Amino acid sequence: MLRSATRHQSVFFLILRRMRTPLILLVASMAISVLGLTLMPGVGEDGQPRRLGFFEAFYFVSYTATTIGFGEIPHAFSPQQRLWVIFTIYLSVVGWTYTLGSLIGLLSDRNLRQAIALERFARAVRHLHEPFYLVCGYGETGRLICRALDQMGRRAVVVEIDETRVAEIDLHAHRADIPAVAADAGRPEILQLAGLIHRDCAGVIALTNDDQTNLAIAIAARLLAPQIPALCRAERREVAANMASFGTRHIINPFERFGETLGLALRTPSAWMLLRWLTGFRYSRQTTGSTPPRGRWIVCGHGRFAAGLIDVMDDEALEITIIDPDPPDEIDHRWVVGDATGELALLRAGVREADGIIAGTNSDLDNLSIVVTARELNPALFVIVRQNRYANRDLFTVLNAEISVVPSEVIANECLSILATPLFLPFKRAVRAADEAWCALQLERLTRLMGEERPEIWGVKIVRDEAQALARWLDEGREVRVGELLRSPADRRTPLACAVLYLQRADGETLPMPADDTLLRRGDQLLLASAADCRQALELTLANDHTLTYLMTGEEISGGRLWRILAGKRKGLAAARS
């Protein structure tokens, strides 16, 4: 409250400082006009000399200076008074013109508009009475995050240094208003105004394109609000290490994340395909060459993106040729100096004999050109292409590369996995640590159960607030197994197209892909994958006592309208079978 009052006073005093001279001139001109009018001799109605009083003079000068013009009061003026009124009119015109000009200039002043915008923004944040996420940076990644949060029914507050991007927020169709301000998110006072220490702040997401700003946000979040999670983007390893030293919980480097994914695809292809399917990337299990081949690779561009991939490929002992116009002093790989968009450089790199190519420059147009040229020379190439701008997705979709790496999507998917389904990260770690046979078995089982379309990933905790019926059933000492729970409420003999991917006990025990006979306990957290329309059926089982009783015992208990509808469906299914 004290900080808010101070900022409000700073705006007020800024206005007073800028308007000090015009206001002094206006007040002085009014005072001189009133005083002179009281001193000018006049003639009353009876012909006797009479001067105006201060109130009468002030009243007359007020409506004269504001161009209202009622007339001469309380009687006709003498020539001396009229001469002074002429002086008063021109003096007031000068005073008002200067004052209004200064006011217009003040309203267009950048500092004042910024101060007013900050005050309005801080007021909007203070009036939030529901959990929200503080999103620092509204580039492509920030836009994806805010859109996803809005669809999930969660509020966001945005701090973005670019005024143009802030103005774009109002152009997007969000369900709820997003308080936003154009300011430097690296300043602690801005973060506090944006709600960093607000009681309803659920997390901080640092997505600016400057690693030092993201580091400043991570440090401020750790020191000012250590109890809330911070998700920070970092493209340089030294910055990520600095963040980690401050205890930042989630550090996201899109290039390292994809490097880990490529390493997984080379070591454990089934694990890569399983995670690729669950996270919504194109899944082509029946297509030959759908996993990165272990053979000869060409890497075009030697920036931060390619450097991470080269380290991974070195660990897998792959043969690599790099095309780049600026080789380092010490070269550890075969290097072709040149422009990879040209046919000559690709031929010198051995594109006709290569198994895969990585177009990893920081230019989308160059990457598109590289892929098109390389495919003309070798149509069988496995293509990994870097898409720098999400706005170019239509071009890359037509390109139909085996893997398109969009840094903004990598970061957004990682952030949303942490925010929406926190158990998905430990599940990913469990899959990465598993062997090829186990991953292949789980991939086959899940796709047979749910089909090859990406399933919906969601989580539930067995407590009264989220699974009322199931929690009450377990509290009464009765047993429920995973396989018993995942059955259709319309017919308990029919399994749902749903699976438990990960189970975490209240005591910390974890079970990846728990078996159907696994007993559930009060306080368990479940990570679930379900086909379309199955989530609603399972949520009904978790919340409705009648439905759960039917699944566990086969006993039908009469209840409300929904239960009668389900009972009618079961009778129809039974009649159809008979």
Side-chain angles (χ1 to χ4, degrees):
M1 292 297 292
L2 179 60
R3 185 177 292 107
S4 175
T6 302
R7 179 158 296 279
H8 179 75
Q9 291 177 5
S10 67
V11 174
F12 178 72
F13 285 117
L14 175 62
I15 295 175
L16 288 184
R17 282 196 303 271
R18 297 297 178 86
M19 293 298 295
R20 178 173 52 193
T21 301
L23 290 176
I24 290 175
L25 177 61
L26 186 61
V27 171
S29 64
M30 289 286 291
I32 292 172
S33 299
V34 171
L35 178 62
L37 196 56
T38 60
L39 297 177
M40 292 297 106
V43 179
E45 295 179 355
D46 56 0
Q48 298 297 320
R50 187 182 185 281
R51 288 186 172 87
L52 296 181
F54 274 101
F55 177 74
E56 293 171 331
F58 178 75
Y59 177 62
F60 176 82
V61 170
S62 295
Y63 68 65
T64 300
T66 55
T67 69
I68 297 175
F70 285 148
E72 300 173 352
I73 58 102
H75 47 73
F77 286 170
S78 66
Q80 294 91 333
Q81 288 175 318
R82 289 174 178 168
L83 182 62
W84 184 256
V85 168
I86 293 173
F87 172 76
T88 297
I89 292 172
Y90 287 107
L91 181 62
S92 65
V93 168
V94 173
W96 280 110
T97 301
Y98 180 61
T99 302
L100 292 176
S102 300
L103 181 61
I104 294 173
L106 176 64
L107 294 177
S108 62
D109 183 82
R110 176 183 173 84
N111 292 331
L112 178 65
R113 288 190 288 110
Q114 177 73 2
I116 294 174
L118 276 175
E119 173 61 26
R120 187 184 300 116
F121 169 73
R123 188 185 311 114
V125 173
R126 288 197 305 271
H127 290 167
L128 289 175
H129 299 294
E130 56 186 304
F132 66 89
Y133 290 92
L134 173 53
V135 180
C136 302
Y138 194 74
E140 291 185 346
T141 310
R143 192 177 302 117
L144 292 173
I145 291 288
C146 289
R147 184 186 307 161
L149 288 174
D150 186 66
Q151 292 173 353
M152 293 160 54
R154 304 187 183 186
R155 298 296 300 271
V157 172
V158 172
V159 179
E160 163 61 49
I161 198 168
D162 189 343
E163 293 183 359
T164 304
R165 291 178 178 175
V166 173
E168 291 177 358
I169 295 178
D170 293 333
L171 301 178
H172 300 146
H174 295 113
R175 300 178 184 176
D177 292 336
I178 298 179
V181 69
D184 183 4
R187 294 166 52 192
E189 63 271 21
I190 297 297
L191 293 175
Q192 293 181 69
L193 284 175
L196 177 62
I197 57 177
H198 194 288
R199 64 182 180 277
D200 291 322
C201 184
V204 181
I205 308 174
L207 302 172
T208 75
N209 56 8
D210 180 49
D211 276 3
Q212 291 302 317
T213 300
N214 293 335
L215 176 61
I217 296 169
I219 293 173
R222 178 66 179 85
L223 297 178
L224 297 176
Q227 75 283 359
I228 64 174
L231 291 74
C232 300
R233 170 182 180 175
E235 295 186 359
R236 295 197 299 272
R237 295 178 180 177
E238 59 272 18
V239 174
N242 202 347
M243 289 180 180
S245 68
F246 273 90
T248 304
R249 302 185 193 179
H250 304 288
I251 303 169
I252 305 171
N253 184 329
F255 304 142
E256 284 190 358
R257 287 292 184 273
F258 181 73
E260 295 171 358
T261 301
L262 179 60
L264 181 67
L266 294 169
R267 291 190 304 273
T268 317
S270 293
W272 174 70
M273 297 176 74
L274 174 60
L275 294 178
R276 192 183 190 193
W277 172 58
L278 291 174
T279 52
F281 290 98
R282 183 171 59 86
Y283 175 56
S284 52
R285 185 162 49 90
Q286 287 80 15
T287 303
T288 59
S290 59
T291 59
R294 302 184 66 89
R296 300 178 61 182
W297 282 81
I298 298 175
V299 179
C300 305
H302 193 260
R304 290 195 300 268
F305 173 73
L309 300 186
I310 290 171
D311 291 341
V312 171
M313 298 169 85
D314 283 342
D315 293 339
E316 299 298 321
L318 300 183
E319 183 180 347
I320 303 171
T321 300
I322 302 172
I323 304 177
D324 194 271
D326 299 313
D329 296 332
E330 297 182 2
I331 301 176
D332 297 329
H333 302 87
R334 180 168 177 250
W335 197 288
V336 174
V337 179
D339 183 2
T341 60
E343 181 177 322
L344 179 60
L346 290 171
L347 289 173
R348 289 171 57 197
V351 67
R352 296 188 189 279
E353 298 80 26
D355 298 293
I357 188 169
I358 298 175
T361 74
N362 57 8
S363 168
D364 282 352
L365 295 180
D366 286 349
N367 291 337
L368 290 168
S369 177
I370 290 169
V371 173
V372 171
T373 305
R375 276 181 167 168
E376 290 177 352
L377 299 173
N378 184 354
L381 281 172
F382 187 97
V383 175
I384 298 176
V385 61
R386 173 182 174 183
Q387 178 185 333
N388 297 280
R389 297 189 61 196
Y390 183 78
N392 293 329
R393 60 188 179 278
D394 292 339
L395 299 177
F396 284 85
T397 299
V398 174
L399 189 67
N400 197 29
E402 278 71 15
I403 302 176
S404 291
V405 184
V406 189
S408 58
E409 279 192 340
V410 172
I411 299 171
N413 286 336
E414 185 89 2
C415 291
L416 293 173
S417 295
I418 296 170
L419 298 177
T421 50
L423 287 183
F424 195 71
L425 285 184
F427 168 72
K428 286 173 62 177
R429 287 193 289 267
V431 171
R432 291 175 184 275
D435 57 36
E436 172 70 13
W438 184 86
C439 293
L441 176 64
Q442 301 304 329
L443 178 62
E444 177 65 27
R445 181 176 71 88
L446 292 176
T447 52
R448 186 173 63 251
L449 177 65
M450 288 176 274
E452 294 192 358
E453 292 296 325
R454 176 183 181 264
E456 182 179 4
I457 308 297
W458 54 290
V460 66
K461 186 175 183 179
I462 304 178
V463 293
R464 289 293 181 97
D465 291 340
E466 299 184 31
Q468 182 178 359
L470 180 58
R472 186 161 41 240
W473 185 281
L474 295 175
D475 287 342
E476 294 172 358
R478 291 181 281 189
E479 293 183 348
V480 178
R481 290 175 170 80
V482 169
E484 295 172 337
L485 187 68
L486 304 181
R487 291 182 293 178
S488 171
D491 182 4
R492 64 193 296 261
R493 293 170 294 182
T494 303
L496 287 174
C498 182
V500 177
L501 302 178
Y502 197 78
L503 187 152
Q504 180 172 299
R505 305 283 192 192
D507 59 5
E509 180 187 2
T510 59
L511 297 173
M513 300 288 190
D516 286 345
D517 60 353
T518 302
L519 287 172
L520 297 174
R521 303 175 190 168
R522 185 75 151 77
D524 285 352
Q525 296 184 64
L526 306 178
L527 178 68
L528 298 131
S530 56
D533 301 328
C534 286
R535 176 173 179 173
Q536 185 177 2
L538 183 54
E539 287 179 337
L540 175 64
T541 300
L542 296 172
N544 188 279
D545 293 301
H546 300 321
T547 305
L548 184 61
T549 300
Y550 166 72
L551 288 184
M552 296 299 106
T553 66
E555 180 183 357
E556 298 184 8
I557 303 174
S558 59
R561 180 181 179 186
L562 179 59
W563 180 254
R564 290 194 296 271
I565 292 173
L566 292 174
K569 287 185 177 181
R570 285 196 294 274
K571 291 178 181 178
L573 290 172
R577 287 193 178 95
S578 62

